[in-house]
Amino acid sequence: MAQRLQGRTALITGSTSNIGRAIAEAFAREGAHVVVSGRDEARGAAVVDQIRANGGKADFARADLDGTSAASHTLAAEAAELVGRVDILVNNAGIYPPSSTPTTDEETFDRVYGVNVKAPFFLTQALAPAMIDAGAGVIINLGSWIARLGIGVSSLYSSTKGAMETLTRAWAAEFGPQGVRVNAISPGVIVSPDWDGTHPGEVMMQGTPAGRSGHPDAIASAAVYLASDDAQFVHGTVIDVDGGRTGVAVIAV
């Protein structure tokens, strides 16, 4: 069976753990040369070693994407140095501080918008021109189900993900006619290694069609689809991978 991303290169931000790592490993299995990126060099090396052990191609580029243009452009340059032109960019890195509107200070507000919105904006700014010059490229953003289904916590985080979903549509209009496809994935409640069955996220999935939280591999599968030629006619869309949480009425159980 042919690998769907054979011969392509990909940069995935925040790919040293969880969803980002799953996307990096899935891309590598499909033949892409992956640049794993994150702040933790040890975790990054572990992801690269695992991909290589499975016969894939991967390198690590350390990055602390704080929202400054310089940090994003530096990562873009390092990725290009490792693999040449980046064919696929996945804007995955993000932070989720546990704060309510009354308890959010200005420093926290600026930090969350810096990491979750400004960093991917300037990284896209840095990498899109080469994609346009080549007449081909893919950008995948990570949104969130709580960008469109309000819950009583995480107003700051959800607003940043709403911004990324809006940028997805705007960038599709801006870059699509020049050969660059831009889409997004909206994950639902995705399990983390430190969760157990009593985590609030598990409770929120009760009564949904899936009836449980999702695994990072579900998001990775959607990312492979959007990055591949299977999605060549898909522009400016947000794919919900959330077990039916936003699309179906949830029945209390």
Side-chain angles (χ1 to χ4, degrees), residues 177-238:
Q178 301 172 88
V180 180
R181 291 191 297 104
V182 186
N183 292 288
I185 301 168
S186 177
V189 178
I190 303 299
V191 67
S192 295
D194 58 342
W195 284 17
D196 58 32
T198 63
H199 191 279
E202 292 288 353
V203 175
M204 285 191 288
M205 291 302 292
Q206 293 177 8
T208 64
R212 59 172 176 80
S213 62
H215 189 275
D217 286 349
I219 311 304
S221 295
V224 169
Y225 164 68
L226 288 175
S228 75
D229 289 341
D230 292 343
Q232 60 183 322
F233 199 55
V234 181
H235 292 260
T237 194
V238 179

Short mmCIF file of all heavy atoms in Angstrom, two decimals, residues 177-238:
data_model
loop_
_atom_site.label_atom_id
_atom_site.label_comp_id
_atom_site.label_asym_id
_atom_site.label_seq_id
_atom_site.Cartn_x
_atom_site.Cartn_y
_atom_site.Cartn_z
N PRO A 177 -5.91 29.97 -3.49
CA PRO A 177 -5.74 30.20 -4.93
C PRO A 177 -4.29 30.10 -5.40
O PRO A 177 -4.03 30.02 -6.60
CB PRO A 177 -6.27 31.63 -5.12
CG PRO A 177 -7.22 31.82 -3.98
CD PRO A 177 -6.60 31.08 -2.84
N GLN A 178 -3.37 30.08 -4.44
CA GLN A 178 -1.94 29.99 -4.78
C GLN A 178 -1.38 28.59 -4.49
O GLN A 178 -0.17 28.40 -4.47
CB GLN A 178 -1.16 31.04 -4.00
CG GLN A 178 -1.64 32.46 -4.30
CD GLN A 178 -1.01 33.50 -3.39
OE1 GLN A 178 0.06 34.01 -3.69
NE2 GLN A 178 -1.68 33.81 -2.28
N GLY A 179 -2.29 27.63 -4.29
CA GLY A 179 -1.87 26.24 -4.19
C GLY A 179 -1.69 25.70 -2.79
O GLY A 179 -1.29 24.54 -2.63
N VAL A 180 -1.97 26.51 -1.77
CA VAL A 180 -1.75 26.07 -0.38
C VAL A 180 -3.10 25.81 0.27
O VAL A 180 -3.91 26.72 0.42
CB VAL A 180 -0.97 27.13 0.42
CG1 VAL A 180 -0.75 26.65 1.86
CG2 VAL A 180 0.37 27.43 -0.26
N ARG A 181 -3.32 24.57 0.66
CA ARG A 181 -4.57 24.22 1.32
C ARG A 181 -4.46 24.47 2.83
O ARG A 181 -3.47 24.08 3.46
CB ARG A 181 -4.93 22.76 1.08
CG ARG A 181 -5.30 22.45 -0.35
CD ARG A 181 -5.90 21.06 -0.50
NE ARG A 181 -4.97 19.99 -0.14
CZ ARG A 181 -5.01 19.30 0.99
NH1 ARG A 181 -5.92 19.56 1.91
NH2 ARG A 181 -4.12 18.34 1.21
N VAL A 182 -5.48 25.08 3.41
CA VAL A 182 -5.50 25.37 4.84
C VAL A 182 -6.79 24.83 5.44
O VAL A 182 -7.89 25.18 4.98
CB VAL A 182 -5.39 26.87 5.13
CG1 VAL A 182 -5.26 27.12 6.63
CG2 VAL A 182 -4.20 27.48 4.39
N ASN A 183 -6.66 23.98 6.44
CA ASN A 183 -7.81 23.41 7.13
C ASN A 183 -7.49 23.27 8.62
O ASN A 183 -6.37 23.57 9.04
CB ASN A 183 -8.16 22.03 6.54
CG ASN A 183 -8.69 22.13 5.12
OD1 ASN A 183 -9.80 22.58 4.88
ND2 ASN A 183 -7.87 21.70 4.16
N ALA A 184 -8.47 22.85 9.38
CA ALA A 184 -8.26 22.70 10.82
C ALA A 184 -8.94 21.45 11.33
O ALA A 184 -9.86 20.90 10.70
CB ALA A 184 -8.79 23.93 11.57
N ILE A 185 -8.49 21.02 12.49
CA ILE A 185 -9.11 19.91 13.22
C ILE A 185 -9.57 20.45 14.56
O ILE A 185 -8.83 21.17 15.24
CB ILE A 185 -8.11 18.76 13.44
CG1 ILE A 185 -7.58 18.24 12.11
CG2 ILE A 185 -8.77 17.63 14.23
CD1 ILE A 185 -6.39 17.30 12.26
N SER A 186 -10.79 20.11 14.93
CA SER A 186 -11.32 20.51 16.23
C SER A 186 -11.43 19.27 17.10
O SER A 186 -12.42 18.53 17.02
CB SER A 186 -12.69 21.17 16.07
OG SER A 186 -13.24 21.49 17.33
N PRO A 187 -10.43 19.01 17.95
CA PRO A 187 -10.50 17.82 18.81
C PRO A 187 -11.56 17.99 19.90
O PRO A 187 -11.83 19.09 20.38
CB PRO A 187 -9.10 17.75 19.44
CG PRO A 187 -8.24 18.64 18.59
CD PRO A 187 -9.16 19.71 18.09
N GLY A 188 -12.13 16.88 20.29
CA GLY A 188 -12.98 16.86 21.46
C GLY A 188 -12.15 16.59 22.69
O GLY A 188 -10.99 17.00 22.79
N VAL A 189 -12.72 15.88 23.64
CA VAL A 189 -12.00 15.53 24.86
C VAL A 189 -11.05 14.38 24.53
O VAL A 189 -11.48 13.28 24.19
CB VAL A 189 -12.98 15.12 25.98
CG1 VAL A 189 -12.20 14.71 27.22
CG2 VAL A 189 -13.93 16.27 26.29
N ILE A 190 -9.76 14.67 24.60
CA ILE A 190 -8.72 13.69 24.26
C ILE A 190 -7.98 13.28 25.52
O ILE A 190 -7.51 14.13 26.28
CB ILE A 190 -7.74 14.26 23.22
CG1 ILE A 190 -8.49 14.71 21.96
CG2 ILE A 190 -6.66 13.23 22.89
CD1 ILE A 190 -9.23 13.60 21.24
N VAL A 191 -7.87 11.99 25.72
CA VAL A 191 -7.27 11.47 26.94
C VAL A 191 -5.79 11.84 27.03
O VAL A 191 -5.08 11.89 26.02
CB VAL A 191 -7.45 9.94 27.02
CG1 VAL A 191 -6.66 9.24 25.93
CG2 VAL A 191 -7.07 9.42 28.40
N SER A 192 -5.34 12.13 28.22
CA SER A 192 -3.93 12.36 28.51
C SER A 192 -3.43 11.21 29.37
O SER A 192 -4.22 10.55 30.07
CB SER A 192 -3.73 13.69 29.24
OG SER A 192 -4.09 14.78 28.41
N PRO A 193 -2.10 10.97 29.36
CA PRO A 193 -1.57 9.82 30.12
C PRO A 193 -1.88 9.86 31.61
O PRO A 193 -1.95 8.82 32.26
CB PRO A 193 -0.06 9.92 29.87
CG PRO A 193 0.05 10.64 28.57
CD PRO A 193 -1.07 11.63 28.57
N ASP A 194 -2.07 11.06 32.18
CA ASP A 194 -2.28 11.17 33.62
C ASP A 194 -3.75 11.13 34.02
O ASP A 194 -4.09 11.29 35.19
CB ASP A 194 -1.65 12.47 34.15
CG ASP A 194 -2.20 13.71 33.47
OD1 ASP A 194 -2.80 13.57 32.39
OD2 ASP A 194 -2.03 14.80 34.02
N TRP A 195 -4.64 10.88 33.07
CA TRP A 195 -6.06 10.84 33.39
C TRP A 195 -6.46 9.49 33.95
O TRP A 195 -5.84 8.46 33.69
CB TRP A 195 -6.90 11.10 32.14
CG TRP A 195 -6.94 12.52 31.71
CD1 TRP A 195 -6.09 13.52 32.07
CD2 TRP A 195 -7.87 13.10 30.80
NE1 TRP A 195 -6.43 14.69 31.45
CE2 TRP A 195 -7.52 14.47 30.67
CE3 TRP A 195 -8.96 12.61 30.10
CZ2 TRP A 195 -8.24 15.33 29.85
CZ3 TRP A 195 -9.66 13.46 29.28
CH2 TRP A 195 -9.30 14.81 29.16
N ASP A 196 -7.58 9.49 34.69
CA ASP A 196 -8.24 8.24 35.05
C ASP A 196 -9.73 8.40 34.74
O ASP A 196 -10.16 9.42 34.20
CB ASP A 196 -8.00 7.88 36.52
CG ASP A 196 -8.49 8.97 37.47
OD1 ASP A 196 -9.47 9.66 37.14
OD2 ASP A 196 -7.89 9.12 38.55
N GLY A 197 -10.51 7.42 35.06
CA GLY A 197 -11.92 7.43 34.69
C GLY A 197 -12.75 8.48 35.38
O GLY A 197 -13.90 8.71 35.00
N THR A 198 -12.19 9.14 36.40
CA THR A 198 -12.95 10.16 37.11
C THR A 198 -12.64 11.56 36.65
O THR A 198 -13.16 12.53 37.20
CB THR A 198 -12.66 10.07 38.62
OG1 THR A 198 -11.26 10.36 38.86
CG2 THR A 198 -12.97 8.68 39.17
N HIS A 199 -11.80 11.70 35.64
CA HIS A 199 -11.44 13.03 35.15
C HIS A 199 -12.70 13.73 34.61
O HIS A 199 -13.56 13.10 33.98
CB HIS A 199 -10.39 12.92 34.04
CG HIS A 199 -9.78 14.23 33.66
ND1 HIS A 199 -10.40 15.11 32.81
CD2 HIS A 199 -8.61 14.81 34.03
CE1 HIS A 199 -9.64 16.17 32.65
NE2 HIS A 199 -8.56 16.03 33.38
N PRO A 200 -12.83 15.06 34.84
CA PRO A 200 -14.00 15.78 34.34
C PRO A 200 -14.22 15.63 32.84
O PRO A 200 -15.37 15.66 32.37
CB PRO A 200 -13.69 17.24 34.71
CG PRO A 200 -12.77 17.14 35.88
CD PRO A 200 -11.95 15.91 35.65
N GLY A 201 -13.14 15.47 32.09
CA GLY A 201 -13.29 15.28 30.66
C GLY A 201 -14.07 14.02 30.32
O GLY A 201 -14.88 14.01 29.38
N GLU A 202 -13.83 12.96 31.08
CA GLU A 202 -14.58 11.72 30.86
C GLU A 202 -16.06 11.93 31.15
O GLU A 202 -16.93 11.43 30.45
CB GLU A 202 -14.01 10.60 31.74
CG GLU A 202 -12.62 10.14 31.36
CD GLU A 202 -12.59 9.33 30.08
OE1 GLU A 202 -13.66 9.01 29.53
OE2 GLU A 202 -11.49 9.02 29.61
N VAL A 203 -16.34 12.67 32.19
CA VAL A 203 -17.73 12.94 32.55
C VAL A 203 -18.44 13.71 31.43
O VAL A 203 -19.60 13.43 31.10
CB VAL A 203 -17.80 13.73 33.87
CG1 VAL A 203 -19.24 14.11 34.20
CG2 VAL A 203 -17.19 12.92 35.01
N MET A 204 -17.74 14.67 30.82
CA MET A 204 -18.35 15.47 29.76
C MET A 204 -18.67 14.66 28.51
O MET A 204 -19.48 15.08 27.69
CB MET A 204 -17.43 16.64 29.39
CG MET A 204 -17.42 17.76 30.39
SD MET A 204 -16.58 19.25 29.78
CE MET A 204 -14.87 18.72 29.82
N MET A 205 -18.06 13.50 28.36
CA MET A 205 -18.34 12.67 27.19
C MET A 205 -19.45 11.67 27.42
O MET A 205 -19.87 10.98 26.49
CB MET A 205 -17.06 11.94 26.76
CG MET A 205 -16.00 12.86 26.18
SD MET A 205 -16.59 13.81 24.75
CE MET A 205 -16.81 12.50 23.54
N GLN A 206 -19.97 11.60 28.63
CA GLN A 206 -21.09 10.71 28.88
C GLN A 206 -22.32 11.21 28.13
O GLN A 206 -22.63 12.39 28.12
CB GLN A 206 -21.38 10.64 30.38
CG GLN A 206 -20.28 9.98 31.18
CD GLN A 206 -20.57 9.99 32.68
OE1 GLN A 206 -21.66 10.38 33.12
NE2 GLN A 206 -19.59 9.57 33.48
N GLY A 207 -23.02 10.30 27.49
CA GLY A 207 -24.20 10.67 26.73
C GLY A 207 -23.94 11.07 25.30
O GLY A 207 -24.87 11.35 24.55
N THR A 208 -22.66 11.12 24.88
CA THR A 208 -22.33 11.41 23.50
C THR A 208 -22.40 10.13 22.67
O THR A 208 -22.41 9.03 23.23
CB THR A 208 -20.91 12.00 23.37
OG1 THR A 208 -19.95 11.01 23.79
CG2 THR A 208 -20.76 13.24 24.24
N PRO A 209 -22.42 10.22 21.34
CA PRO A 209 -22.41 9.00 20.54
C PRO A 209 -21.23 8.08 20.85
O PRO A 209 -21.39 6.86 20.90
CB PRO A 209 -22.35 9.53 19.10
CG PRO A 209 -23.06 10.84 19.17
CD PRO A 209 -22.65 11.42 20.50
N ALA A 210 -20.07 8.67 21.06
CA ALA A 210 -18.89 7.85 21.38
C ALA A 210 -18.95 7.32 22.81
O ALA A 210 -18.48 6.22 23.10
CB ALA A 210 -17.62 8.65 21.17
N GLY A 211 -19.47 8.15 23.71
CA GLY A 211 -19.60 7.73 25.10
C GLY A 211 -18.31 7.69 25.89
O GLY A 211 -18.28 7.19 27.01
N ARG A 212 -17.27 8.24 25.33
CA ARG A 212 -15.96 8.20 26.00
C ARG A 212 -15.07 9.27 25.40
O ARG A 212 -15.38 9.86 24.36
CB ARG A 212 -15.29 6.84 25.81
CG ARG A 212 -15.08 6.48 24.33
CD ARG A 212 -14.26 5.23 24.12
NE ARG A 212 -14.16 4.87 22.71
CZ ARG A 212 -13.31 5.43 21.85
NH1 ARG A 212 -12.48 6.39 22.26
NH2 ARG A 212 -13.26 5.05 20.59
N SER A 213 -13.94 9.52 26.06
CA SER A 213 -12.96 10.44 25.50
C SER A 213 -12.22 9.77 24.34
O SER A 213 -12.27 8.54 24.18
CB SER A 213 -11.95 10.86 26.58
OG SER A 213 -11.25 9.74 27.06
N GLY A 214 -11.55 10.60 23.54
CA GLY A 214 -10.84 10.09 22.39
C GLY A 214 -9.36 9.86 22.67
O GLY A 214 -8.84 10.25 23.71
N HIS A 215 -8.70 9.23 21.73
CA HIS A 215 -7.26 8.97 21.81
C HIS A 215 -6.55 9.88 20.82
O HIS A 215 -7.11 10.22 19.76
CB HIS A 215 -6.97 7.50 21.47
CG HIS A 215 -5.55 7.09 21.75
ND1 HIS A 215 -4.54 7.28 20.84
CD2 HIS A 215 -4.99 6.53 22.84
CE1 HIS A 215 -3.40 6.84 21.35
NE2 HIS A 215 -3.65 6.38 22.56
N PRO A 216 -5.33 10.31 21.12
CA PRO A 216 -4.60 11.17 20.18
C PRO A 216 -4.51 10.62 18.77
O PRO A 216 -4.45 11.39 17.80
CB PRO A 216 -3.21 11.29 20.83
CG PRO A 216 -3.47 11.17 22.29
CD PRO A 216 -4.58 10.15 22.39
N ASP A 217 -4.53 9.30 18.63
CA ASP A 217 -4.44 8.71 17.30
C ASP A 217 -5.61 9.12 16.41
O ASP A 217 -5.49 9.16 15.18
CB ASP A 217 -4.38 7.18 17.39
CG ASP A 217 -3.03 6.68 17.87
OD1 ASP A 217 -2.08 7.49 17.93
OD2 ASP A 217 -2.93 5.49 18.19
N ALA A 218 -6.77 9.41 17.01
CA ALA A 218 -7.92 9.83 16.22
C ALA A 218 -7.65 11.18 15.55
O ALA A 218 -8.05 11.40 14.40
CB ALA A 218 -9.16 9.92 17.11
N ILE A 219 -6.99 12.06 16.27
CA ILE A 219 -6.63 13.36 15.70
C ILE A 219 -5.56 13.19 14.63
O ILE A 219 -5.59 13.83 13.58
CB ILE A 219 -6.15 14.32 16.80
CG1 ILE A 219 -7.12 14.32 17.98
CG2 ILE A 219 -5.95 15.73 16.23
CD1 ILE A 219 -8.55 14.67 17.62
N ALA A 220 -4.61 12.29 14.90
CA ALA A 220 -3.54 12.04 13.94
C ALA A 220 -4.09 11.51 12.62
O ALA A 220 -3.62 11.89 11.54
CB ALA A 220 -2.53 11.05 14.53
N SER A 221 -5.08 10.64 12.69
CA SER A 221 -5.67 10.10 11.46
C SER A 221 -6.32 11.20 10.63
O SER A 221 -6.20 11.22 9.40
CB SER A 221 -6.71 9.03 11.81
OG SER A 221 -6.09 7.91 12.42
N ALA A 222 -7.00 12.12 11.30
CA ALA A 222 -7.60 13.25 10.59
C ALA A 222 -6.53 14.13 9.97
O ALA A 222 -6.70 14.64 8.85
CB ALA A 222 -8.48 14.06 11.54
N ALA A 223 -5.42 14.32 10.68
CA ALA A 223 -4.34 15.15 10.16
C ALA A 223 -3.70 14.52 8.93
O ALA A 223 -3.37 15.22 7.96
CB ALA A 223 -3.29 15.38 11.25
N VAL A 224 -3.52 13.20 8.95
CA VAL A 224 -2.98 12.51 7.77
C VAL A 224 -3.89 12.72 6.57
O VAL A 224 -3.44 13.02 5.46
CB VAL A 224 -2.79 11.00 8.06
CG1 VAL A 224 -2.51 10.25 6.76
CG2 VAL A 224 -1.66 10.78 9.05
N TYR A 225 -5.18 12.59 6.78
CA TYR A 225 -6.13 12.81 5.69
C TYR A 225 -6.00 14.22 5.13
O TYR A 225 -5.88 14.40 3.90
CB TYR A 225 -7.55 12.57 6.20
CG TYR A 225 -8.62 13.14 5.28
CD1 TYR A 225 -8.85 12.60 4.02
CD2 TYR A 225 -9.38 14.24 5.67
CE1 TYR A 225 -9.82 13.13 3.17
CE2 TYR A 225 -10.34 14.79 4.84
CZ TYR A 225 -10.55 14.23 3.59
OH TYR A 225 -11.50 14.77 2.75
N LEU A 226 -6.02 15.23 5.99
CA LEU A 226 -5.96 16.60 5.51
C LEU A 226 -4.63 16.92 4.83
O LEU A 226 -4.59 17.74 3.91
CB LEU A 226 -6.19 17.58 6.68
CG LEU A 226 -7.61 17.66 7.22
CD1 LEU A 226 -7.65 18.57 8.44
CD2 LEU A 226 -8.59 18.14 6.15
N ALA A 227 -3.56 16.29 5.26
CA ALA A 227 -2.25 16.54 4.67
C ALA A 227 -2.07 15.84 3.33
O ALA A 227 -1.23 16.25 2.52
CB ALA A 227 -1.15 16.09 5.64
N SER A 228 -2.85 14.80 3.08
CA SER A 228 -2.67 13.98 1.89
C SER A 228 -3.47 14.48 0.71
O SER A 228 -4.35 15.35 0.83
CB SER A 228 -3.09 12.53 2.20
OG SER A 228 -4.50 12.43 2.26
N ASP A 229 -3.22 13.89 -0.45
CA ASP A 229 -3.96 14.24 -1.65
C ASP A 229 -5.41 13.78 -1.60
O ASP A 229 -6.22 14.20 -2.42
CB ASP A 229 -3.27 13.64 -2.88
CG ASP A 229 -1.95 14.32 -3.21
OD1 ASP A 229 -1.74 15.45 -2.73
OD2 ASP A 229 -1.13 13.72 -3.94
N ASP A 230 -5.74 12.92 -0.63
CA ASP A 230 -7.14 12.52 -0.47
C ASP A 230 -8.02 13.73 -0.18
O ASP A 230 -9.22 13.71 -0.45
CB ASP A 230 -7.28 11.52 0.68
CG ASP A 230 -6.64 10.18 0.38
OD1 ASP A 230 -6.37 9.89 -0.80
OD2 ASP A 230 -6.39 9.41 1.33
N ALA A 231 -7.42 14.77 0.40
CA ALA A 231 -8.17 15.98 0.77
C ALA A 231 -7.87 17.14 -0.17
O ALA A 231 -8.01 18.30 0.22
CB ALA A 231 -7.85 16.37 2.21
N GLN A 232 -7.50 16.86 -1.41
CA GLN A 232 -7.06 17.92 -2.31
C GLN A 232 -8.17 18.91 -2.65
O GLN A 232 -7.90 20.03 -3.09
CB GLN A 232 -6.48 17.33 -3.59
CG GLN A 232 -7.44 16.48 -4.40
CD GLN A 232 -6.77 15.86 -5.62
OE1 GLN A 232 -5.94 16.50 -6.26
NE2 GLN A 232 -7.11 14.62 -5.93
N PHE A 233 -9.46 18.53 -2.42
CA PHE A 233 -10.56 19.43 -2.71
C PHE A 233 -11.16 20.01 -1.43
O PHE A 233 -12.26 20.56 -1.42
CB PHE A 233 -11.64 18.69 -3.51
CG PHE A 233 -12.61 19.60 -4.25
CD1 PHE A 233 -12.15 20.56 -5.14
CD2 PHE A 233 -13.98 19.49 -4.05
CE1 PHE A 233 -13.04 21.40 -5.81
CE2 PHE A 233 -14.88 20.32 -4.72
CZ PHE A 233 -14.39 21.28 -5.59
N VAL A 234 -10.41 19.91 -0.34
CA VAL A 234 -10.88 20.38 0.97
C VAL A 234 -10.12 21.65 1.35
O VAL A 234 -8.89 21.63 1.52
CB VAL A 234 -10.68 19.30 2.06
CG1 VAL A 234 -11.21 19.80 3.40
CG2 VAL A 234 -11.38 18.01 1.65
N HIS A 235 -10.84 22.75 1.47
CA HIS A 235 -10.24 24.04 1.80
C HIS A 235 -11.09 24.75 2.86
O HIS A 235 -12.32 24.80 2.75
CB HIS A 235 -10.18 24.95 0.57
CG HIS A 235 -9.24 24.51 -0.50
ND1 HIS A 235 -7.99 25.06 -0.66
CD2 HIS A 235 -9.38 23.57 -1.48
CE1 HIS A 235 -7.39 24.48 -1.69
NE2 HIS A 235 -8.21 23.59 -2.21
N GLY A 236 -10.44 25.31 3.85
CA GLY A 236 -11.11 26.19 4.79
C GLY A 236 -12.12 25.52 5.70
O GLY A 236 -13.01 26.19 6.22
N THR A 237 -11.97 24.24 5.92
CA THR A 237 -12.93 23.53 6.76
C THR A 237 -12.33 23.20 8.12
O THR A 237 -11.11 23.15 8.28
CB THR A 237 -13.42 22.23 6.08
OG1 THR A 237 -14.58 21.74 6.74
CG2 THR A 237 -12.33 21.17 6.12
N VAL A 238 -13.21 22.99 9.08
CA VAL A 238 -12.81 22.53 10.41
C VAL A 238 -13.45 21.17 10.62
O VAL A 238 -14.68 21.05 10.64
CB VAL A 238 -13.25 23.51 11.52
CG1 VAL A 238 -12.82 22.98 12.88
CG2 VAL A 238 -12.66 24.89 11.29
#
